Amino acid sequence: MNLSQEDWVAQLESDENAVILDVRTEDEFNDGYIENAVNIDINKGQAFIYDIEELDKNKNYYVYCRSGARSAKACQIMNELGFENAYNLLGGILDWEGETVTP
């Protein structure tokens, strides 16, 4: 499900069962990420699938990438794997107006 930044943030802030998932590369992640995000690189193919399958399907996932394209694909893959609540951040971190953390 695609959400605007406003809706994504509002839903995330009121969700006690939330996990923020960054599907960018490690290098992109190290340039700055949304606080508390978990990084699983969608470009790793089958390794991405294995890592996603390790996640708790009972949680709600707020997924983002650089522009929103890879995270949309990640949400689609997650839905196919049985995740019911994966929310894509439209516009990705490029359009993100909140704070980011640099490791």
Side-chain angles (χ1 to χ4, degrees):
M1 177 189 297
N2 292 319
L3 295 176
S4 68
Q5 181 174 181
E6 191 174 272
D7 292 341
W8 196 84
V9 169
Q11 197 166 310
L12 173 64
E13 287 177 347
S14 64
D15 190 342
E16 294 180 9
N17 204 27
V19 175
I20 301 173
L21 184 61
D22 183 324
V23 297
R24 298 176 301 156
T25 66
E26 186 177 348
D27 285 344
E28 287 175 304
F29 184 78
N30 289 333
D31 285 339
Y33 57 90
I34 297 172
E35 191 171 11
N36 299 319
V38 175
N39 182 222
I40 302 178
D41 182 355
I42 193 169
N43 292 332
K44 294 212 166 150
Q46 192 60 44
F48 173 76
I49 304 289
Y50 292 142
D51 288 344
I52 291 296
E53 287 179 326
E54 296 293 314
L55 299 174
D56 184 346
K57 288 189 170 113
N58 295 315
K59 300 256 183 214
N60 302 320
Y61 292 89
Y62 294 82
V63 188
Y64 74 94
C65 64
R66 190 179 68 84
S67 66
R70 284 176 285 174
S71 50
K73 180 70 176 164
C75 287
Q76 179 185 347
I77 291 168
M78 292 174 77
N79 288 334
E80 290 169 7
L81 293 173
F83 290 83
E84 292 182 18
N85 299 308
Y87 306 105
N88 179 38
L89 175 61
L90 289 172
I93 202 160
L94 282 179
D95 290 347
W96 180 250
E97 294 172 2
E99 291 186 23
T100 58
V101 178
T102 306

XYZ file of all heavy atoms in Angstrom:
824
model
N 0.838 -1.184 0.000
C 0.000 0.000 0.000
C 0.881 1.246 0.000
O 1.782 1.381 0.810
C -0.881 0.009 1.252
C -1.739 1.261 1.337
S -2.607 1.455 2.906
C -3.670 0.041 2.906
N 0.639 2.122 -0.948
C 1.401 3.361 -1.058
C 0.799 4.426 -0.161
O -0.407 4.641 -0.171
C 1.392 3.863 -2.505
C 2.168 2.941 -3.427
O 3.222 2.450 -3.070
N 1.630 2.701 -4.598
N 1.651 5.100 0.604
C 1.194 6.177 1.477
C 2.019 7.431 1.217
O 3.230 7.355 1.009
C 1.358 5.788 2.952
C 0.519 4.626 3.484
C 0.896 4.342 4.926
C -0.964 4.913 3.369
N 1.349 8.576 1.270
C 2.078 9.835 1.199
C 2.919 9.956 2.469
O 2.665 9.269 3.465
C 1.094 11.006 1.133
O 0.397 11.107 2.373
N 3.902 10.833 2.434
C 4.752 11.010 3.611
C 3.908 11.356 4.843
O 4.119 10.810 5.918
C 5.801 12.096 3.362
C 6.703 12.278 4.549
C 7.849 13.241 4.313
O 8.647 13.439 5.192
N 7.955 13.843 3.161
N 2.941 12.238 4.658
C 2.092 12.660 5.778
C 1.355 11.462 6.391
O 1.351 11.279 7.597
C 1.091 13.695 5.253
C 0.330 14.421 6.328
C -0.531 15.515 5.705
O -0.024 16.647 5.534
O -1.698 15.227 5.391
N 0.745 10.635 5.537
C 0.007 9.470 6.025
C 0.940 8.412 6.607
O 0.634 7.784 7.617
C -0.831 8.847 4.897
C -1.974 9.746 4.460
O -2.357 10.658 5.222
O -2.481 9.543 3.340
N 2.090 8.223 5.956
C 3.071 7.236 6.399
C 3.544 7.563 7.813
O 3.570 6.716 8.684
C 4.233 7.246 5.401
C 5.207 6.105 5.402
C 5.080 4.912 4.768
C 6.513 6.078 6.014
N 6.216 4.156 4.946
C 7.101 4.840 5.697
C 7.225 6.987 6.799
C 8.387 4.482 6.141
C 8.489 6.638 7.226
C 9.059 5.396 6.904
N 3.884 8.844 8.031
C 4.376 9.289 9.335
C 3.268 9.209 10.387
O 3.493 8.716 11.496
C 4.947 10.723 9.253
C 5.218 11.285 10.637
C 6.213 10.733 8.410
N 2.070 9.656 10.042
C 0.959 9.642 10.996
C 0.646 8.216 11.434
O 0.460 7.943 12.628
C -0.277 10.292 10.373
N 0.626 7.312 10.468
C 0.316 5.922 10.789
C 1.451 5.296 11.601
O 1.203 4.589 12.575
C 0.092 5.151 9.480
C -0.609 3.836 9.670
C -1.096 3.277 8.345
O -1.738 3.966 7.570
N -0.786 2.019 8.098
N 2.683 5.581 11.204
C 3.854 5.058 11.905
C 3.867 5.516 13.363
O 4.091 4.714 14.271
C 5.128 5.532 11.192
C 6.463 5.224 11.864
C 6.707 3.733 11.937
C 7.593 5.915 11.109
N 3.611 6.787 13.599
C 3.675 7.334 14.954
C 2.624 6.745 15.876
O 2.815 6.692 17.090
C 3.550 8.858 14.911
C 4.807 9.518 14.375
C 4.687 11.018 14.242
O 3.567 11.555 14.330
O 5.740 11.665 14.044
N 1.500 6.284 15.323
C 0.442 5.734 16.169
C 0.467 4.201 16.196
O -0.416 3.574 16.766
C -0.923 6.221 15.671
O -1.168 5.717 14.371
N 1.491 3.601 15.596
C 1.570 2.146 15.459
C 2.607 1.580 16.427
O 3.802 1.767 16.241
C 1.937 1.802 14.012
C 1.817 0.322 13.705
O 1.781 -0.490 14.646
O 1.769 -0.014 12.509
N 2.137 0.861 17.442
C 3.060 0.272 18.424
C 3.699 -1.014 17.910
O 4.571 -1.583 18.557
C 2.316 -0.004 19.732
C 1.859 1.274 20.417
C 1.114 1.005 21.716
O 1.090 -0.142 22.174
O 0.567 1.985 22.259
N 3.270 -1.466 16.746
C 3.753 -2.725 16.176
C 4.556 -2.467 14.898
O 4.614 -3.303 14.014
C 2.532 -3.621 15.887
C 2.903 -5.085 15.848
O 3.858 -5.519 16.464
N 2.142 -5.850 15.093
N 5.163 -1.288 14.822
C 5.803 -0.844 13.585
C 7.279 -1.224 13.501
O 7.994 -1.217 14.500
C 5.675 0.664 13.460
N 7.716 -1.512 12.262
C 9.123 -1.691 11.939
C 9.391 -0.843 10.696
O 8.659 -0.926 9.717
C 9.453 -3.171 11.627
C 10.898 -3.319 11.170
C 9.167 -4.052 12.823
N 10.443 -0.007 10.749
C 10.831 0.787 9.582
C 11.870 -0.022 8.811
O 12.862 -0.473 9.385
C 11.410 2.151 9.997
C 10.382 2.933 10.812
C 11.849 2.936 8.764
C 10.928 4.211 11.413
N 11.611 -0.211 7.518
C 12.480 -1.033 6.689
C 13.031 -0.204 5.530
O 12.284 0.332 4.724
C 11.678 -2.230 6.160
C 12.429 -3.265 5.337
C 13.544 -3.901 6.158
C 11.457 -4.342 4.859
N 14.357 -0.098 5.484
C 15.062 0.616 4.418
C 15.603 -0.439 3.455
O 16.394 -1.283 3.852
C 16.210 1.421 5.045
C 16.986 2.264 4.055
O 17.178 1.810 2.906
O 17.432 3.347 4.433
N 15.166 -0.411 2.193
C 15.580 -1.444 1.240
C 16.665 -0.966 0.269
O 16.910 -1.580 -0.754
C 14.362 -2.034 0.475
C 13.419 -2.717 1.434
C 13.631 -0.964 -0.330
N 17.340 0.121 0.618
C 18.428 0.638 -0.216
C 19.703 -0.177 0.024
O 19.768 -1.024 0.902
C 18.685 2.109 0.120
C 17.485 2.998 -0.156
C 17.730 4.423 0.273
N 18.041 4.485 1.705
C 18.726 5.455 2.285
N 19.168 6.475 1.577
N 18.961 5.443 3.584
N 20.729 0.149 -0.764
C 22.031 -0.501 -0.580
C 22.654 -0.040 0.740
O 22.262 0.985 1.312
C 23.000 -0.154 -1.726
O 23.282 1.250 -1.659
C 22.414 -0.518 -3.081
N 23.653 -0.785 1.185
C 24.343 -0.417 2.423
C 24.991 0.962 2.307
O 24.956 1.761 3.242
C 25.393 -1.479 2.766
C 26.054 -1.249 4.101
C 27.044 -2.352 4.474
O 27.064 -3.414 3.823
O 27.806 -2.119 5.427
N 25.578 1.258 1.136
C 26.202 2.572 0.929
C 25.170 3.690 1.035
O 25.426 4.729 1.650
C 26.907 2.645 -0.431
C 28.227 1.882 -0.446
O 28.747 1.553 0.643
O 28.736 1.619 -1.551
N 23.997 3.486 0.404
C 22.939 4.494 0.486
C 22.480 4.661 1.930
O 22.279 5.786 2.405
C 21.736 4.079 -0.373
C 21.955 4.203 -1.857
C 20.773 3.673 -2.641
O 20.403 2.503 -2.446
O 20.206 4.450 -3.424
N 22.323 3.552 2.620
C 21.894 3.560 4.019
C 22.879 4.363 4.867
O 22.488 5.164 5.710
C 21.778 2.116 4.525
C 21.252 1.981 5.924
C 19.896 2.111 6.194
C 22.101 1.683 6.982
C 19.393 1.964 7.484
C 21.622 1.533 8.268
C 20.256 1.676 8.522
N 24.182 4.158 4.606
C 25.224 4.848 5.373
C 25.291 6.340 5.092
O 25.911 7.089 5.841
C 26.583 4.178 5.144
C 26.658 2.830 5.820
O 25.986 2.577 6.825
N 27.455 1.941 5.274
N 24.643 6.796 4.007
C 24.565 8.225 3.716
C 23.535 8.924 4.598
O 23.484 10.152 4.645
C 24.198 8.462 2.246
C 25.378 8.196 1.321
O 26.531 8.219 1.802
O 25.130 7.974 0.127
N 22.695 8.142 5.268
C 21.669 8.696 6.140
C 20.371 7.913 5.998
O 20.009 7.515 4.894
N 19.723 7.668 7.132
C 18.508 6.868 7.133
C 17.523 7.408 8.160
O 17.873 8.209 9.021
C 18.834 5.391 7.413
C 19.564 5.168 8.717
C 18.864 4.928 9.901
C 20.949 5.201 8.769
C 19.536 4.741 11.095
C 21.632 5.010 9.955
C 20.919 4.775 11.121
O 21.581 4.595 12.301
N 16.289 6.950 8.046
C 15.256 7.336 9.007
C 15.521 6.574 10.305
O 15.791 5.369 10.287
C 13.854 7.036 8.441
C 13.610 7.876 7.176
C 12.777 7.299 9.496
C 12.347 7.542 6.403
N 15.474 7.276 11.416
C 15.808 6.706 12.717
C 15.098 5.382 12.969
O 13.925 5.225 12.670
C 15.452 7.703 13.827
C 16.001 7.295 15.175
C 15.839 8.371 16.240
O 15.124 9.355 15.991
O 16.435 8.204 17.306
N 15.852 4.428 13.512
C 15.388 3.079 13.877
C 15.131 2.167 12.682
O 14.581 1.077 12.840
C 14.138 3.124 14.761
C 14.391 3.837 16.066
O 15.445 3.657 16.680
N 13.457 4.662 16.485
N 15.525 2.583 11.485
C 15.302 1.745 10.305
C 16.222 0.528 10.305
O 17.363 0.589 10.746
C 15.529 2.554 9.029
N 15.677 -0.583 9.789
C 16.433 -1.804 9.559
C 16.761 -1.832 8.073
O 15.887 -1.574 7.242
C 15.571 -3.036 9.931
C 16.285 -4.329 9.588
C 15.172 -2.993 11.391
N 18.017 -2.134 7.733
C 18.427 -2.121 6.321
C 18.500 -3.536 5.765
O 19.254 -4.362 6.248
C 19.786 -1.422 6.202
C 20.292 -1.304 4.781
O 21.461 -1.510 4.524
N 19.436 -0.954 3.844
N 17.672 -3.807 4.748
C 17.742 -5.062 3.998
C 17.725 -4.667 2.515
O 16.720 -4.176 2.020
C 16.569 -6.010 4.331
C 16.527 -6.340 5.829
C 16.690 -7.299 3.507
C 15.355 -7.228 6.236
N 18.835 -4.876 1.834
C 19.019 -4.417 0.453
C 18.235 -5.280 -0.535
O 18.518 -6.465 -0.700
C 20.519 -4.457 0.129
C 20.863 -3.952 -1.259
O 19.941 -3.639 -2.040
O 22.069 -3.878 -1.551
N 17.260 -4.676 -1.201
C 16.439 -5.398 -2.179
C 17.245 -5.866 -3.376
O 16.880 -6.828 -4.054
C 15.222 -4.557 -2.634
C 14.211 -5.439 -3.401
C 15.658 -3.355 -3.454
C 12.879 -4.787 -3.650
N 18.371 -5.225 -3.662
C 19.194 -5.597 -4.818
C 19.949 -6.906 -4.612
O 20.615 -7.376 -5.524
C 20.194 -4.484 -5.147
C 19.501 -3.234 -5.659
O 18.433 -3.309 -6.246
N 20.107 -2.092 -5.422
N 19.851 -7.503 -3.439
C 20.585 -8.746 -3.166
C 19.825 -9.991 -3.605
O 20.213 -11.099 -3.271
C 20.933 -8.816 -1.680
C 21.909 -7.722 -1.304
C 22.837 -8.128 -0.209
C 23.977 -7.130 -0.142
N 24.519 -6.973 1.154
N 18.716 -9.812 -4.327
C 18.015 -10.941 -4.923
C 17.499 -11.940 -3.899
O 16.750 -11.596 -2.999
N 17.952 -13.187 -4.042
C 17.456 -14.249 -3.163
C 17.821 -13.994 -1.703
O 17.054 -14.338 -0.809
C 18.002 -15.604 -3.624
C 17.328 -16.795 -2.961
C 15.828 -16.879 -3.220
O 15.372 -16.688 -4.333
N 15.059 -17.154 -2.181
N 18.956 -13.382 -1.445
C 19.340 -13.067 -0.063
C 18.321 -12.117 0.561
O 18.015 -12.215 1.752
C 20.741 -12.454 -0.025
N 17.771 -11.204 -0.246
C 16.720 -10.307 0.233
C 15.499 -11.123 0.658
O 14.947 -10.908 1.735
C 16.337 -9.302 -0.862
C 15.155 -8.435 -0.517
C 15.288 -7.374 0.366
C 13.899 -8.681 -1.064
C 14.202 -6.563 0.696
C 12.814 -7.886 -0.750
C 12.967 -6.823 0.134
N 15.110 -12.084 -0.173
C 13.957 -12.937 0.147
C 14.202 -13.682 1.462
O 13.336 -13.717 2.334
C 13.691 -13.966 -0.988
C 13.495 -13.280 -2.331
C 12.537 -14.893 -0.635
C 12.227 -12.519 -2.519
N 15.393 -14.273 1.605
C 15.713 -15.007 2.840
C 15.615 -14.092 4.060
O 15.059 -14.473 5.089
C 17.117 -15.613 2.775
C 17.285 -16.730 1.769
C 18.460 -16.844 1.031
C 16.279 -17.670 1.551
C 18.628 -17.860 0.097
C 16.439 -18.693 0.616
C 17.612 -18.779 -0.099
O 17.775 -19.771 -1.016
N 16.180 -12.889 3.941
C 16.158 -11.952 5.074
C 14.732 -11.523 5.411
O 14.365 -11.422 6.585
C 17.017 -10.721 4.773
C 18.508 -11.040 4.791
O 18.894 -12.101 5.313
O 19.282 -10.217 4.267
N 13.915 -11.261 4.385
C 12.531 -10.853 4.602
C 11.749 -11.979 5.283
O 10.955 -11.748 6.197
C 11.858 -10.447 3.267
C 12.464 -9.146 2.735
C 10.343 -10.332 3.411
C 12.260 -7.914 3.588
N 12.002 -13.219 4.863
C 11.282 -14.360 5.451
C 11.608 -14.557 6.927
O 10.849 -15.198 7.643
C 11.573 -15.631 4.646
C 10.867 -15.623 3.297
C 11.145 -16.862 2.458
O 12.268 -17.404 2.543
O 10.232 -17.264 1.720
N 12.731 -13.984 7.393
C 13.097 -14.073 8.809
C 12.306 -13.082 9.679
O 12.290 -13.191 10.902
C 14.599 -13.789 8.988
C 15.506 -14.802 8.327
C 15.431 -16.172 8.984
O 15.465 -16.225 10.222
O 15.321 -17.175 8.257
N 11.669 -12.104 9.046
C 10.942 -11.068 9.787
C 9.618 -11.594 10.336
O 9.041 -12.548 9.812
C 10.683 -9.861 8.882
C 11.915 -9.146 8.316
C 11.495 -8.074 7.325
C 12.756 -8.558 9.432
N 9.127 -10.938 11.368
C 7.862 -11.291 12.016
C 6.695 -10.803 11.165
O 6.509 -9.604 10.983
C 7.828 -10.640 13.405
C 6.606 -11.015 14.210
O 5.635 -11.566 13.640
O 6.607 -10.743 15.428
N 5.889 -11.724 10.654
C 4.769 -11.354 9.787
C 3.644 -10.647 10.545
O 2.727 -10.106 9.936
C 4.219 -12.588 9.077
C 5.157 -13.084 7.994
C 4.537 -14.176 7.147
C 5.393 -14.453 5.949
N 6.009 -15.727 5.917
N 3.701 -10.657 11.873
C 2.668 -9.995 12.677
C 2.940 -8.506 12.867
O 2.110 -7.789 13.411
C 2.527 -10.678 14.037
C 2.028 -12.108 13.887
O 1.102 -12.362 13.132
N 2.664 -13.023 14.584
N 4.110 -8.055 12.441
C 4.452 -6.631 12.576
C 3.951 -5.852 11.357
O 3.594 -6.425 10.337
C 5.964 -6.461 12.701
C 6.565 -7.175 13.891
C 6.886 -6.216 14.968
C 7.565 -6.925 16.130
N 7.202 -6.334 17.384
N 3.956 -4.533 11.480
C 3.583 -3.643 10.382
C 4.867 -2.989 9.871
O 5.608 -2.392 10.649
C 2.602 -2.577 10.869
C 1.350 -3.204 11.453
O 0.832 -4.179 10.931
N 0.879 -2.649 12.549
N 5.100 -3.095 8.576
C 6.356 -2.629 7.986
C 6.161 -1.349 7.189
O 5.314 -1.277 6.305
C 6.968 -3.736 7.111
C 7.417 -4.882 7.980
C 6.557 -5.928 8.291
C 8.681 -4.881 8.559
C 6.949 -6.952 9.139
C 9.088 -5.894 9.405
C 8.221 -6.926 9.690
O 8.605 -7.931 10.548
N 6.976 -0.359 7.537
C 6.974 0.937 6.863
C 8.253 0.964 6.034
O 9.346 1.059 6.578
C 6.914 2.060 7.904
C 5.585 2.017 8.619
C 5.365 1.148 9.683
C 4.524 2.806 8.182
C 4.130 1.067 10.301
C 3.281 2.738 8.802
C 3.096 1.864 9.851
O 1.861 1.786 10.452
N 8.087 0.819 4.720
C 9.195 0.538 3.827
C 9.528 1.774 2.989
O 8.639 2.461 2.495
C 8.824 -0.639 2.884
C 10.030 -1.077 2.066
C 8.272 -1.825 3.682
N 10.828 2.035 2.845
C 11.241 3.143 1.972
C 12.549 2.814 1.279
O 13.294 1.928 1.688
C 11.350 4.454 2.758
C 12.550 4.541 3.667
C 13.730 5.144 3.238
C 12.508 4.027 4.964
C 14.840 5.224 4.070
C 13.603 4.105 5.800
C 14.768 4.703 5.349
O 15.860 4.774 6.161
N 12.806 3.554 0.206
C 14.069 3.477 -0.519
C 14.450 4.906 -0.896
O 14.083 5.850 -0.191
C 13.960 2.557 -1.738
S 12.803 3.156 -2.987
N 15.159 5.068 -2.009
C 15.576 6.409 -2.404
C 14.408 7.210 -2.953
O 14.164 8.330 -2.533
C 16.706 6.315 -3.442
C 17.378 7.636 -3.738
C 18.500 7.484 -4.746
N 18.004 7.142 -6.063
C 17.568 8.033 -6.955
N 17.593 9.313 -6.676
N 17.113 7.640 -8.130
N 13.663 6.628 -3.912
C 12.595 7.388 -4.572
C 11.205 6.771 -4.454
O 10.229 7.394 -4.849
C 12.931 7.553 -6.059
O 12.913 6.280 -6.688
N 11.122 5.553 -3.953
C 9.830 4.893 -3.800
C 9.610 3.706 -4.708
O 8.681 2.930 -4.518
N 10.467 3.527 -5.718
C 10.285 2.425 -6.678
C 10.690 1.073 -6.086
O 9.928 0.107 -6.143
C 11.072 2.696 -7.954
N 11.895 1.005 -5.515
C 12.348 -0.266 -4.932
C 11.499 -0.657 -3.732
O 11.204 -1.832 -3.524
C 13.826 -0.179 -4.518
C 14.770 -0.252 -5.700
C 16.204 -0.071 -5.262
N 16.448 1.339 -4.945
C 17.559 1.816 -4.419
N 18.556 1.004 -4.118
N 17.711 3.099 -4.191
N 11.082 0.330 -2.938
C 10.250 0.005 -1.764
C 8.869 -0.480 -2.191
O 8.281 -1.345 -1.540
C 10.168 1.185 -0.796
O 9.820 2.382 -1.450
N 8.353 0.039 -3.305
C 7.070 -0.458 -3.824
C 7.215 -1.927 -4.208
O 6.355 -2.758 -3.897
C 6.612 0.369 -5.019
N 8.329 -2.262 -4.870
C 8.605 -3.651 -5.248
C 8.775 -4.511 -4.001
O 8.271 -5.639 -3.937
C 9.858 -3.696 -6.127
C 10.262 -5.067 -6.586
C 9.287 -5.617 -7.603
C 9.764 -6.976 -8.138
N 8.686 -7.682 -8.822
N 9.467 -3.989 -3.001
C 9.668 -4.735 -1.751
C 8.324 -5.037 -1.082
O 8.103 -6.151 -0.599
C 10.573 -3.952 -0.800
N 7.434 -4.060 -1.066
C 6.107 -4.267 -0.474
C 5.348 -5.349 -1.236
O 4.678 -6.195 -0.625
C 5.302 -2.965 -0.468
S 5.870 -1.764 0.739
N 5.476 -5.334 -2.553
C 4.812 -6.345 -3.378
C 5.358 -7.740 -3.040
O 4.601 -8.693 -2.859
C 5.044 -6.030 -4.857
C 4.418 -7.018 -5.813
C 4.784 -6.720 -7.266
O 5.306 -5.661 -7.598
N 4.523 -7.673 -8.130
N 6.671 -7.863 -2.943
C 7.301 -9.140 -2.586
C 6.836 -9.575 -1.198
O 6.494 -10.741 -0.986
C 8.841 -9.020 -2.640
C 9.303 -8.845 -4.094
C 9.508 -10.232 -1.994
C 10.763 -8.432 -4.239
N 6.811 -8.644 -0.254
C 6.389 -8.974 1.104
C 4.944 -9.468 1.126
O 4.631 -10.441 1.810
C 6.578 -7.769 2.027
C 8.042 -7.435 2.248
S 8.311 -5.925 3.179
C 7.959 -6.509 4.848
N 4.079 -8.827 0.360
C 2.688 -9.272 0.278
C 2.610 -10.693 -0.261
O 1.845 -11.518 0.244
C 1.855 -8.319 -0.585
C 1.606 -6.995 0.102
O 1.599 -6.899 1.314
N 1.424 -5.949 -0.689
N 3.423 -10.988 -1.292
C 3.446 -12.331 -1.869
C 3.956 -13.365 -0.869
O 3.580 -14.538 -0.937
C 4.310 -12.356 -3.129
C 3.682 -11.593 -4.288
C 4.639 -11.366 -5.463
O 5.768 -11.903 -5.447
O 4.241 -10.633 -6.391
N 4.790 -12.938 0.073
C 5.333 -13.842 1.089
C 4.427 -13.947 2.319
O 4.778 -14.619 3.284
C 6.731 -13.370 1.521
C 7.816 -13.463 0.447
C 9.103 -12.803 0.937
C 8.071 -14.912 0.054
N 3.283 -13.263 2.286
C 2.324 -13.398 3.378
C 2.306 -12.268 4.390
O 1.643 -12.360 5.418
N 3.044 -11.191 4.127
C 2.995 -10.026 5.009
C 1.743 -9.224 4.653
O 1.552 -8.856 3.501
C 4.231 -9.141 4.834
C 5.489 -9.752 5.369
C 6.206 -10.659 4.602
C 5.952 -9.435 6.632
C 7.370 -11.237 5.086
C 7.119 -9.999 7.130
C 7.827 -10.903 6.354
N 0.903 -8.970 5.643
C -0.351 -8.269 5.373
C -0.219 -6.754 5.438
O -1.005 -6.038 4.831
C -1.437 -8.738 6.346
C -1.839 -10.183 6.097
C -2.952 -10.644 7.010
O -3.646 -9.793 7.596
O -3.113 -11.868 7.127
N 0.782 -6.269 6.186
C 0.883 -4.827 6.411
C 2.268 -4.305 6.050
O 3.158 -4.218 6.894
C 0.548 -4.495 7.863
C -0.866 -4.909 8.207
O -1.808 -4.562 7.510
N -1.006 -5.683 9.268
N 2.442 -3.969 4.769
C 3.677 -3.346 4.285
C 3.275 -2.056 3.588
O 2.483 -2.062 2.657
C 4.406 -4.281 3.331
N 3.816 -0.940 4.081
C 3.423 0.378 3.594
C 4.600 1.069 2.923
O 5.642 1.268 3.541
C 2.896 1.230 4.756
C 1.801 0.538 5.515
C 2.043 -0.027 6.757
C 0.526 0.443 4.979
C 1.034 -0.671 7.456
C -0.498 -0.210 5.665
C -0.232 -0.761 6.903
O -1.230 -1.412 7.578
N 4.412 1.436 1.671
C 5.456 2.092 0.890
C 5.399 3.606 1.059
O 4.333 4.210 0.946
C 5.278 1.726 -0.588
C 6.310 2.398 -1.471
O 7.460 2.531 -1.103
N 5.882 2.823 -2.650
N 6.562 4.202 1.311
C 6.671 5.663 1.404
C 6.829 6.234 0.004
O 7.873 6.065 -0.637
C 7.877 6.050 2.267
C 8.194 7.537 2.357
C 7.036 8.309 2.982
C 9.469 7.762 3.161
N 5.782 6.893 -0.498
C 5.843 7.515 -1.824
C 6.912 8.606 -1.831
O 7.003 9.403 -0.903
C 4.480 8.115 -2.182
C 3.371 7.102 -2.497
C 2.044 7.827 -2.645
C 3.692 6.316 -3.751
N 7.730 8.607 -2.885
C 8.778 9.617 -2.996
C 10.065 9.250 -2.297
O 11.089 9.900 -2.487
N 10.026 8.215 -1.457
C 11.224 7.737 -0.770
C 11.912 8.791 0.069
O 11.351 9.831 0.409
N 13.178 8.527 0.362
C 13.937 9.431 1.235
C 14.277 10.737 0.502
O 14.549 11.753 1.140
C 15.178 8.731 1.820
C 15.643 9.430 3.103
C 16.289 8.630 0.789
C 16.512 8.616 4.007
N 14.213 10.735 -0.837
C 14.458 11.978 -1.574
C 13.451 13.056 -1.195
O 13.787 14.236 -1.138
C 14.364 11.731 -3.089
C 15.556 11.074 -3.761
C 15.274 10.890 -5.243
C 16.824 11.880 -3.565
N 12.204 12.635 -0.961
C 11.149 13.584 -0.608
C 10.938 13.691 0.904
O 10.051 14.412 1.356
C 9.821 13.184 -1.273
C 9.850 13.392 -2.781
O 10.791 14.056 -3.266
O 8.945 12.880 -3.457
N 11.730 12.956 1.678
C 11.568 12.902 3.134
C 11.865 14.263 3.756
O 12.912 14.855 3.500
C 12.501 11.845 3.711
C 12.451 11.685 5.187
C 13.423 12.029 6.072
C 11.384 11.120 5.958
N 13.026 11.705 7.333
C 11.776 11.163 7.310
C 10.126 10.607 5.628
C 10.975 10.684 8.331
C 9.322 10.140 6.657
C 9.736 10.177 7.978
N 10.941 14.743 4.552
C 11.124 16.048 5.197
C 11.471 15.910 6.675
O 11.726 16.902 7.346
C 9.846 16.876 5.031
C 9.598 17.240 3.565
C 8.237 17.885 3.332
O 7.492 18.096 4.311
O 7.938 18.160 2.158
N 11.465 14.681 7.174
C 11.807 14.451 8.583
C 13.303 14.362 8.758
O 14.086 14.556 7.827
N 13.708 14.042 9.975
C 15.135 13.949 10.290
C 15.690 12.612 9.807
O 14.972 11.624 9.696
C 15.335 14.072 11.799
C 15.027 15.465 12.307
C 15.370 15.624 13.779
O 16.215 14.858 14.288
O 14.807 16.523 14.405
N 16.987 12.622 9.538
C 17.684 11.372 9.219
C 18.870 11.231 10.162
O 19.327 12.196 10.773
C 18.189 11.345 7.758
O 19.048 12.450 7.544
C 17.021 11.377 6.773
N 19.354 10.005 10.254
C 20.479 9.670 11.115
C 21.626 9.223 10.216
O 21.404 8.493 9.254
C 20.088 8.517 12.064
C 21.264 8.111 12.937
C 18.891 8.884 12.910
N 22.830 9.660 10.520
C 24.006 9.205 9.789
C 24.847 8.371 10.730
O 25.181 8.836 11.825
C 24.828 10.398 9.271
O 23.966 11.245 8.515
C 25.963 9.935 8.385
N 25.153 7.131 10.319
C 25.918 6.239 11.238
C 27.334 6.739 11.476
O 27.868 7.517 10.765
C 25.919 4.907 10.505
C 25.583 5.188 9.098
C 24.865 6.501 9.065
